Amino acid sequence: MWALGLVGIGFLGLGQVFATAPALALARVPHAAGTGSAVLGTLQSILGAAVAPLMGIAGGHTSMPLFLGMTGCALIATLALWLTRQEPDLTRQKR
């Protein structure tokens, strides 16, 4: 029962992330929003298609495959954020 509570805590922010992340990503490429949306959807599908069978092969007797799959996906997301992060342009002034 405690595992279900921990998973629930882990999913608390997903409602905000699932709405905000694509909006922020598509704001970076307003001239190609359709292409950006297609790339996001494709990457999500590929990652889901790659991770789900790996967790299934690992066995259903323990929650360790779920933990490792979620941790791996979180690390991939952190790496993607780190690789695409840009420093703010401090030379631009607002009017």
Side-chain angles (χ1 to χ4, degrees):
M1 190 59 146
W2 59 270
L4 185 60
L6 292 175
V7 169
I9 290 171
F11 286 153
L12 277 177
L14 288 181
Q16 288 124 5
V17 170
F18 284 160
T20 307
L24 290 173
L26 295 178
R28 307 278 287 178
V29 286
H31 59 281
T35 303
S37 179
V39 169
L40 280 174
T42 301
L43 290 176
Q44 289 173 351
S45 295
I46 289 172
L47 186 60
V51 170
L54 293 176
M55 292 188 341
I57 290 171
H61 304 296
T62 178
S63 61
M64 188 56 73
L66 176 64
F67 169 75
L68 293 175
M70 291 174 69
T71 303
C73 289
L75 290 174
I76 290 171
T78 303
L79 178 66
L81 174 67
W82 183 70
L83 290 174
T84 59
R85 187 172 173 157
Q86 294 179 352
E87 294 296 322
D89 186 9
L90 300 177
T91 60
R92 289 174 38 194
Q93 295 179 357
K94 290 185 177 181
R95 293 183 183 214

